């Protein structure tokens, strides 16, 4: 099977089975999504969604969040991983939005990565989710799943994975392919003991063909 055939099989499968895949983070506007994505680093979306309503009620926009003190914000996110750093990042992010972007979330990767707490992955999430830009955010799920299936080969870093994926996925599908791979990794192709018996793409999966099928 060629790489092109493998990609086409995977794309066709998800187009049929997950045509409306989207982020599981709950948000109403780009500001809320940015806050949620910053909080979601090394934390589950479920936990973030339990935490953000209180933040959004108290700080409904970047201007109000920019005026928060550490001691005011910290109690609202102390159940999130790395709460100290994320508290500082959120306040710094909001201050920069107010000072340099008129309180609005910019929608270019280059501008977003200038914000505290925002790396390339987060910037790719914001631009692809809000604006459907052809940017591929690579988290641990995407990194693992892409390599297991064989969509990427010898990709040692998230950036290398990103470059290989966007090279082979049609531009108009990149924004949704990000969600396909994340959700597949979250619920089927889990880190330990992947649920190959529940997977619809084992036919083209290098991991399955090498590690699972011969053992049957």
């Amino acid at each position: 099977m060629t790489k092109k055939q493998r990609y086409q099989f995977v794309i066709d499968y998800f187009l049929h089975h997950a045509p409306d895949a989207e982020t599981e983070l709950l948000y109403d506007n780009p500001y809320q999504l940015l806050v949620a994505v910053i909080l979601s680093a090394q934390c589950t979306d479920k936990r973030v969604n339990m935490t953000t309503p209180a933040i959004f009620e108290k700080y409904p926009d970047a201007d109000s969040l920019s005026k928060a003190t550490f001691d005011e914000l910290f109690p609202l996110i102390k159940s999130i991983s790395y709460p100290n750093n994320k508290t500082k990042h959120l306040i710094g992010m909001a201050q920069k939005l107010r000072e340099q972007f008129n309180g609005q979330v910019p929608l270019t990767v280059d501008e977003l990565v200038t914000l505290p707490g925002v790396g390339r992955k987060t910037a790719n999430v914001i631009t692809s989710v809000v604006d459907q830009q052809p940017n591929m955010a690579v988290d641990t799920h995407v990194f693992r799943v892409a390599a297991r299936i064989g969509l990427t080969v010898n990709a040692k870093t998230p950036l290398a994975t990103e470059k290989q994926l966007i090279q082979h996925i049609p531009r108009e599908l990149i924004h949704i392919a990000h969600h396909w791979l994340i959700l597949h990794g979250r619920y089927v192709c889990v880190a330990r003991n992947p649920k190959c018996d529940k997977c619809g793409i084992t036919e083209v999966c290098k991991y399955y063909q090498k590690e699972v099928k011969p053992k049957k």
Side-chain angles (χ1 to χ4, degrees):
M1 171 172 286
T2 66
K3 179 174 287 189
K4 183 177 180 180
Q5 290 171 325
R6 177 172 287 107
Y7 267 90
Q8 194 59 57
F9 186 101
V10 171
I11 290 170
D12 289 344
Y13 174 83
F14 284 119
L15 278 174
H16 180 73
H17 292 280
D20 301 315
E22 60 185 5
T23 180
E24 293 185 315
L25 292 170
L26 301 178
Y27 70 99
D28 290 327
N29 53 57
Y31 158 75
Q32 290 189 358
L33 179 62
L34 181 54
V35 170
V37 176
I38 290 174
L39 291 175
S40 72
Q42 296 180 281
C43 186
T44 65
D45 287 1
K46 183 178 180 180
R47 169 58 61 183
V48 173
N49 289 337
M50 293 169 60
T51 303
T52 49
I55 297 174
F56 298 152
E57 181 178 359
K58 189 169 184 178
Y59 307 107
D61 51 33
D63 184 62
S64 55
L65 182 60
S66 72
K67 299 171 184 174
T69 66
F70 181 94
D71 290 340
E72 290 170 340
L73 181 58
F74 180 82
L76 299 180
I77 66 170
K78 62 183 180 182
S79 64
I80 296 281
S81 59
Y82 306 104
N84 282 355
N85 283 341
K86 290 180 180 178
T87 297
K88 296 173 185 175
H89 287 157
L90 287 181
I91 295 172
M93 173 274 290
Q95 290 174 344
K96 189 150 188 174
L97 285 184
R98 184 191 67 191
E99 295 165 3
Q100 297 190 16
F101 298 101
N102 199 31
Q104 301 302 306
V105 176
L107 290 179
T108 71
V109 170
D110 287 345
E111 289 175 315
L112 282 164
V113 296
T114 68
L115 302 172
V118 178
R120 184 176 180 85
K121 183 193 77 173
T122 295
N124 282 343
V125 170
I126 300 301
T127 54
S128 64
V129 171
V130 174
D131 203 33
Q132 296 192 349
Q133 293 179 30
N135 297 328
M136 173 62 68
V138 177
D139 67 354
T140 56
H141 296 304
V142 174
F143 188 82
R144 176 180 72 253
V145 171
R148 274 185 179 165
I149 296 172
L151 299 179
T152 57
V153 178
N154 295 324
K156 305 297 185 183
T157 65
L159 182 58
T161 295
E162 175 188 333
K163 288 181 176 179
Q164 288 190 33
L165 289 172
I166 63 175
Q167 182 180 354
H168 296 284
I169 297 173
R171 183 179 175 88
E172 70 275 11
L173 294 177
I174 291 174
H175 72 282
I176 192 172
H178 157 71
H179 300 301
W180 289 340
L181 296 174
I182 283 180
L183 296 174
H184 193 64
R186 188 172 290 167
Y187 297 110
V188 180
C189 194
V190 294
R192 297 181 181 180
N193 301 316
K195 303 173 184 178
C196 296
D197 58 321
K198 297 181 179 180
C199 179
I201 56 178
T202 53
E203 181 180 334
V204 300
C205 176
K206 284 188 175 181
Y207 173 86
Y208 178 82
Q209 298 298 326
K210 181 180 179 181
E211 302 292 338
V212 181
K213 189 176 182 180
K215 298 177 182 179
K216 288 192 172 183

